[in-house]
Amino acid sequence: MSKIRTAFFCQQCGYESAKWNGKCPSCGQWNTFVEERVQKDIPGKQQHDWKNNDGPNGRTQKIINLSEVITNEEKRLLTPDNELNRVLGGGIVAGSLVLVGGEPGIGKSTLFLQNALQLKNIKILYISGEESEQQIKMRADRIQNSNDQFYLLTETSTQTIFSEIKKLQPQLVIVDSIQTLHTPLIESAPGSVSQIRETTAELQRFAKESNIPVFLIGHITKDGSIAGPKVLEHMVDTVLQFEGDQHYAYRILRTIKNRFGSTAELGIYEMTGTGLRQVTNPSEILISQRDDLLSGVAIAATMEGLRPLLVEVQALVTQSVYGTPQRTATGFDLRRLQLLLAVLEKRGGFHFGVKDVFLNIAGGLRVEDPSIDLAVLCALLSSYEDTAIANKICFAGEVGLSGEIRAVNRIEQRIAEAEKLGFHKIFISRYNKKGIDLSKFNIEVIPVGRVEEVYQQLF
């Protein structure tokens, strides 16, 4: 009788140790090691394979020279959801393994259920380990869509799941969620590090050998990272992050990793009573429609991946009541805000050291593009002077430590987006003028080189 092997795993990062440790040597967390049975001896059962053969098509793999490999163009399955196609790099790649993470209740299950119901011409298997058939049916009725090729399976054992897959022969598999699955090869609780790693490995082998794409919906931890070992993200082909504020109707689908496309793409959705609606022109929803001119508001021409966006920056500068001035930023890096305040204090002579400063990116969006610096700076100056910036003016430029306005990438796309939305002027860095033809734009482009120039032209 073989001995069952056990090991200790860190529940935060998946680090494996032969003995218990108080502090994880990998991630530095305390009291996170749990003993788990690593391998369970099953007589007569071939382990580490989703089907009983030696490899794909029942043959043993052999070493091959790189020059002998025949490459074909990736076959992609286009979904009716253009936003999902964009973040996947142009559609679903056959045999790919895609991991989707997000906050509870953000809409992960709704997004993939409605996409599965819209794919009418392929056979889809939706595996749920968290909800019953009746709950999924209720959500499908709310989405108001149906598909005769859509099949449900409420099961958590991978042995049963692969048995049903062989009978149905689906063309797309969706697993909700990977943390609920368990394999009989590992004797530990579902959701543990070893179970997540082994079940994902089985699904990976299945996807590569059968050439069937698999979507894995995953939980996240309280710090926002995907639950389970970090190796989970290394094993899959694509990692998507579904994020958004529960108090806002808008959701953002970001690409964290993609072996078949760019990682700089994102899709924007609006949560409605009948599911998620694609937002084709996000700039219009991120800019509030107002009639009165208000101080402390500036419009930034930013880029999210390859998509130009115009977002509204709101700033409030008030006299500090307490000894230490407050600095609060929502949707913007607080350290970057402190840097811009220091630039205004040093290079412009504005006394922000005795002021409370509050900054907000409207619409619940979080922006990391440095080109938003100029709009943030102008919003701060507008609130400081209590003077509104004229309508139909936007900004695109990075601010350096010496007060210079630095050039940003894809400036022509930003100008074109501002012109499309009816803006009359756009402030850019004078270093961006080189190599672009301003005569093809109907919008007035104002090049600036220093913070002082911006202040003189606006106020």
Side-chain angles (χ1 to χ4, degrees):
M1 184 176 178
S2 61
K3 184 179 179 181
I4 296 174
R5 189 168 71 89
T6 63
F8 291 88
F9 291 93
C10 173
Q11 299 302 297
Q12 290 292 327
C13 66
Y15 181 83
E16 182 179 350
S17 174
K19 61 180 182 178
W20 185 86
N21 292 311
K23 182 180 180 181
C24 176
S26 177
C27 64
Q29 297 294 317
W30 288 89
N31 298 324
T32 56
F33 275 90
V34 174
E35 185 178 14
E36 295 179 5
R37 293 186 178 183
V38 177
Q39 190 169 358
K40 182 180 178 182
D41 188 24
I42 303 178
K45 171 71 178 175
Q46 183 180 359
Q47 299 183 3
H48 305 297
D49 204 352
W50 74 277
K51 59 182 180 178
N52 296 324
N53 55 37
D54 296 323
N57 304 321
R59 62 181 177 85
T60 305
Q61 294 289 85
K62 64 184 181 71
I63 297 173
I64 188 170
N65 190 280
L66 181 63
S67 60
E68 299 176 24
V69 178
I70 301 173
T71 57
N72 297 316
E73 188 177 351
E74 295 165 354
K75 294 181 180 179
R76 292 184 182 265
L77 172 65
L78 290 177
T79 71
D81 189 341
N82 293 326
E83 301 295 305
L84 181 60
N85 291 336
R86 178 186 289 109
V87 296
L88 290 175
I92 304 171
V93 177
S96 62
L97 191 64
V98 181
L99 175 64
V100 185
E103 292 277 351
I106 205 74
K108 303 183 297 295
S109 301
T110 301
L111 173 66
F112 285 95
L113 179 62
Q114 77 176 34
N115 273 287
L117 292 173
Q118 290 171 356
L119 286 166
K120 308 286 187 182
N121 54 348
I122 66 169
K123 192 182 291 185
I124 299 169
L125 177 61
Y126 189 98
I127 302 166
S128 176
E130 299 178 341
E131 298 177 296
S132 65
E133 294 96 336
Q134 290 78 16
Q135 289 174 306
I136 298 171
K137 174 63 175 173
M138 288 169 61
R139 183 183 287 120
D141 291 340
R142 192 179 76 245
I143 294 172
Q144 299 175 358
N145 214 328
S146 61
N147 186 354
D148 294 335
Q149 295 292 312
F150 182 82
Y151 297 89
L152 286 175
L153 175 62
T154 54
E155 181 57 57
T156 58
S157 171
T158 56
Q159 191 174 6
T160 308
I161 288 170
F162 288 130
S163 175
E164 294 298 320
I165 285 176
K166 290 176 186 176
K167 296 176 188 175
L168 183 65
Q169 296 294 319
Q171 296 166 278
L172 176 65
V173 176
I174 301 172
V175 179
D176 185 11
S177 65
I178 185 61
Q179 280 81 11
T180 61
L181 299 192
H182 67 90
T183 172
L185 302 179
I186 304 293
E187 193 169 309
S188 60
S192 61
V193 169
S194 53
Q195 282 286 5
I196 293 174
R197 185 169 50 209
E198 182 60 31
T199 52
T200 304
E202 290 183 11
L203 288 165
Q204 181 192 42
R205 287 190 291 271
F206 160 73
K208 302 305 177 187
E209 294 178 9
S210 63
N211 215 30
I212 295 173
V214 178
F215 281 90
L216 307 177
I217 298 175
H219 301 163
I220 65 169
T221 59
K222 61 183 179 181
D223 61 351
S225 58
I226 295 175
K230 194 67 177 176
V231 71
L232 175 63
E233 297 179 44
H234 292 285
M235 293 169 69
V236 300
D237 298 311
T238 305
V239 180
L240 305 180
Q241 187 82 14
F242 202 42
E243 59 189 45
D245 195 326
Q246 299 244 4
H247 302 291
Y248 290 92
Y250 304 111
R251 305 285 188 265
I252 297 173
L253 187 64
R254 295 184 187 273
T255 311
I256 307 299
K257 167 191 174 182
N258 194 356
R259 289 174 178 161
F260 309 111
S262 171
T263 57
E265 291 293 352
L266 87 163
I268 300 180
Y269 298 88
E270 180 184 7
M271 179 63 80
T272 66
T274 57
L276 289 157
R277 182 184 69 85
Q278 302 175 50
V279 177
T280 55
N281 192 359
S283 296
E284 293 181 353
I285 65 171
L286 295 173
I287 300 175
S288 60
Q289 306 300 321
R290 61 186 190 279
D291 298 326
D292 300 331
L293 286 176
L294 303 173
S295 65
V297 176
I299 307 299
T302 181
M303 296 287 295
E304 282 287 348
L306 303 177
R307 168 184 276 189
L309 295 177
L310 265 67
V311 298
E312 183 177 301
V313 180
Q314 301 171 342
L316 177 63
V317 179
T318 61
Q319 190 68 32
S320 178
V321 179
Y322 305 101
T324 304
Q326 298 182 68
R327 303 283 186 262
T328 304
T330 304
F332 189 74
D333 187 9
L334 182 59
R335 290 172 296 182
R336 189 75 184 172
L337 171 61
Q338 293 169 339
L339 183 149
L340 294 175
L341 291 173
V343 170
L344 288 172
E345 186 98 24
K346 177 74 174 178
R347 307 298 177 188
F350 299 96
H351 300 294
F352 282 94
V354 294
K355 303 285 187 180
D356 289 337
V357 177
F358 305 92
L359 188 75
N360 177 49
I361 306 298
L365 194 69
R366 178 164 187 84
V367 181
E368 297 178 356
D369 185 3
S371 67
I372 199 176
D373 286 354
L374 186 56
V376 171
L377 186 140
C378 292
L380 291 170
L381 290 174
S382 172
S383 183
Y384 184 91
E385 298 287 352
D386 200 17
T387 303
I389 297 174
N391 264 335
K392 304 301 180 183
I393 296 179
C394 61
F395 306 88
E398 181 183 355
V399 178
L401 292 180
S402 60
E404 80 277 14
I405 310 300
R406 301 172 64 88
V408 296
N409 63 347
R410 302 185 183 276
I411 190 63
E412 293 191 28
Q413 287 181 258
R414 301 172 196 262
I415 297 172
E417 180 74 6
E419 182 183 342
K420 186 175 73 174
L421 291 177
F423 282 81
H424 301 155
K425 296 180 182 179
I426 180 170
F427 283 76
I428 67 170
S429 169
R430 68 182 179 202
Y431 305 108
N432 265 128
K433 283 186 65 179
K434 300 174 183 177
I436 63 170
D437 182 14
L438 298 180
S439 61
K440 63 182 180 181
F441 298 109
N442 295 323
I443 186 174
E444 183 184 353
V445 179
I446 304 174
V448 288
R450 303 279 303 173
V451 172
E452 304 92 281
E453 295 178 43
V454 182
Y455 180 79
Q456 291 168 3
Q457 297 217 35
L458 287 176
F459 308 103

